[in-house]
Amino acid sequence: VGMHKTGTTSIQNSLKSFENDTFVYARLGNNPNHSVQIYSLFADSPERHPLNENRRNAPGGMAAYLESVGRDLANSISLAGSRTLLISGELIGYLDEAGLAKLRDRLAPHFESVEIVAYVRAPLSYMTSAFQQMVRGGRRTVLGFDRLYRSYRDSFEKFDRVFGRSNVSLWKYDRGTFAGGDVVQDFCGRIGLDLGARAVEVVNESKTTREMIALMFQYNR
């Protein structure tokens, strides 16, 4: 379930369409990031999310999308059978407790347990990375670092309440402790998934220098 800026895109792209005797990666449309799909299915007002703007404005667009995602989720559950089904999306962490309870109740009848895992990035590191991404995307014209801070308790405590503390694992995101600095291999190692000869896809990693960020920030302004 995230956080953002913890290598989730690399994990998702590396596991897209993956399946073996033990694991199946959910196929919810063509995007291996299940954020919008799961959020939309279980949020009270999914049409309000900016990523659903096009569907909100199209006649029947939101209803058709929810029907399609619901069908894809049912198919993924059926495909998993007795195997572990993997779902990955940072926006899942933005569901409220009612939405998370709906997600739990949707999955619970089909699996022995539902486990939540998240990489957690230290505040300074998270805020720095988020700021850089916003600047690179042309969306940051003021500093306002206080607005970049994310409440860790608000983000994760609700999972304890909905799924049970013993079913929630928070892992420190520190590439210096990962084998080869690779979060994909670290994730797979933690859950016992053998990628075999499958190539790891490193996606969305920033090589931007401080000087480059400063220049882009001034250009945005």
Side-chain angles (χ1 to χ4, degrees):
V1 296
M3 301 171 60
H4 284 93
K5 312 309 300 175
T6 56
T8 48
T9 305
S10 294
I11 293 171
Q12 291 154 0
N13 280 270
S14 295
L15 294 180
K16 181 179 180 180
S17 302
F18 179 88
E19 69 173 292
N20 61 12
D21 293 339
T22 309
F23 294 94
V24 174
Y25 193 77
R27 299 167 188 176
L28 309 181
N30 295 321
N31 191 342
N33 184 341
H34 303 139
S35 286
V36 179
Q37 300 95 309
I38 296 298
Y39 180 88
S40 298
L41 269 182
F42 299 103
D44 281 340
S45 301
E47 68 279 356
R48 295 181 181 176
H49 196 280
L51 292 176
N52 281 323
E53 182 177 2
N54 291 337
R55 301 182 184 100
R56 180 173 67 239
N57 296 330
M62 198 69 230
Y65 177 69
L66 294 177
E67 181 180 353
S68 175
V69 174
R71 186 167 55 247
D72 287 345
L73 179 59
N75 289 340
S76 290
I77 291 172
S78 177
L79 177 64
S82 61
R83 297 176 290 180
T84 296
L85 180 67
L86 298 173
I87 296 173
S88 176
E90 305 91 304
L91 277 184
I92 297 172
Y94 289 86
L95 286 169
D96 59 18
E97 286 192 41
L100 292 176
K102 291 178 186 177
L103 172 61
R104 177 200 62 201
D105 295 344
R106 178 70 179 87
L107 297 175
H110 305 283
F111 300 98
E112 293 180 1
S113 63
V114 179
E115 300 181 19
I116 303 296
V117 301
Y119 281 100
V120 180
R121 193 163 181 163
L124 178 60
S125 175
Y126 170 77
M127 293 165 69
T128 300
S129 183
F131 178 79
Q132 290 182 8
Q133 180 166 333
M134 290 178 182
V135 170
R136 292 198 307 270
R139 294 181 290 120
R140 200 72 182 179
T141 59
V142 296
L143 294 177
F145 294 114
D146 55 314
R147 297 181 61 187
L148 291 171
Y149 180 77
R150 181 173 175 180
S151 171
Y152 288 72
R153 171 165 286 183
D154 290 347
S155 297
F156 298 114
E157 192 174 51
K158 57 190 174 184
F159 287 101
D160 294 353
R161 291 192 289 264
V162 173
F163 293 93
R165 180 67 190 91
S166 61
N167 295 315
V168 179
S169 298
L170 304 180
W171 302 329
K172 183 179 180 181
Y173 181 80
D174 181 358
R175 292 180 60 184
T177 66
F178 303 156
D182 184 354
V183 67
V184 178
Q185 294 291 352
D186 184 80
F187 175 79
C188 292
R190 287 178 184 270
I191 67 172
L193 187 155
D194 183 5
L195 278 176
R198 191 182 181 94
V200 170
E201 290 194 34
V202 179
V203 184
N204 205 25
E205 284 207 349
S206 173
K207 304 296 183 183
T208 314
T209 67
R210 183 173 59 181
E211 289 78 11
M212 291 166 66
I213 288 293
L215 180 60
M216 284 187 278
F217 178 76
Q218 293 298 335
Y219 179 82
N220 292 343
R221 285 170 62 90

